[in-house]
Amino acid sequence: YFSHFCAFNFVTTGFNGYSSLSCSDLFITNSKFYLHRGEISDSRIIDVTVTNDFVISFSDSLQVVYLISRAGYNTARLNLTVGGNLIVSGHNKGLFVTSMSSGEEIISIGNNINILGGKTRFNGYEIASSRGHDITGTIGGSILIADGSISLSTQKGISNWSIQGDFDQTGGFS
């Protein structure tokens, strides 16, 4: 559980660091979480592997979760693998963004994506500095939306998703 976390924070463009995260379960509750805030120009891969469930719960509008948070000239690529479920809940203005960079994303979710609150954004965010890129995603289960919102591709680039189960929206936005 994290209350405020930043693994890497460096704003000058170049070959600035590497971040990776591997764990059994990842629970981020009532927090600000930035995995990689560095700007890199060599397209290195930021690996995030969660063996079981990745659960994010927001209690207010100021809470954010960024796996790659720098836009600019950042070319970092993201490999996100979640063996179980990706679950986002709580305050509808809490924000989860996979990557703001121009590097491609490869996303693999073993079971379901459950959106019960918050704003979930793959491929950037709805701001001018966010960089678009290609994204390839696979979901072994379903996308279930009851509240909050999800965008499977927020910026420019080619988006290719394979959903093995259903797309079930009973509330919220997609």
Side-chain angles (χ1 to χ4, degrees):
Y1 293 90
F2 295 102
S3 62
H4 185 83
F5 177 84
C6 180
F8 186 85
N9 185 21
F10 195 80
V11 296
T12 304
T13 302
F15 305 106
N16 295 315
Y18 168 76
S19 297
S20 70
L21 175 65
S22 180
C23 58
S24 293
D25 291 282
L26 181 55
F27 297 97
I28 302 172
T29 304
N30 307 329
S31 306
K32 290 185 179 182
F33 179 96
Y34 300 88
L35 180 64
H36 189 86
R37 290 185 85 174
E39 230 178 89
I40 58 177
S41 56
D42 65 349
S43 301
R44 71 184 72 185
I45 296 172
I46 306 302
D47 284 304
V48 179
T49 302
V50 180
T51 305
N52 299 312
D53 291 339
F54 183 174
V55 180
I56 301 168
S57 179
F58 298 113
S59 63
D60 71 45
S61 63
L62 301 177
Q63 293 166 352
V64 295
V65 174
Y66 285 95
L67 299 181
I68 299 174
S69 67
R70 291 265 183 238
Y73 297 102
N74 197 5
T75 62
R77 295 180 294 154
L78 175 67
N79 283 352
L80 170 62
T81 303
V82 178
N85 299 299
L86 172 62
I87 302 167
V88 181
S89 67
H91 198 286
N92 281 344
K93 292 197 178 192
L95 178 62
F96 169 48
V97 176
T98 52
S99 177
M100 296 284 283
S101 80
S102 63
E104 73 174 327
E105 291 181 59
I106 297 175
I107 309 293
S108 176
I109 310 296
N111 290 325
N112 297 325
I113 294 180
N114 296 310
I115 305 300
L116 307 167
K119 295 185 288 190
T120 299
R121 301 293 185 264
F122 294 92
N123 183 13
Y125 184 56
E126 297 96 336
I127 58 174
S129 65
S130 181
R131 309 286 287 185
H133 52 263
D134 294 346
I135 183 168
T136 301
T138 58
I139 301 167
S142 299
I143 295 180
L144 309 166
I145 306 166
D147 199 3
S149 64
I150 186 172
S151 175
L152 296 176
S153 186
T154 310
Q155 292 288 339
K156 65 183 177 181
I158 297 169
S159 178
N160 184 9
W161 285 88
S162 172
I163 303 168
Q164 302 303 308
D166 298 323
F167 186 96
D168 185 357
Q169 183 170 351
T170 59
F173 298 94
S174 61

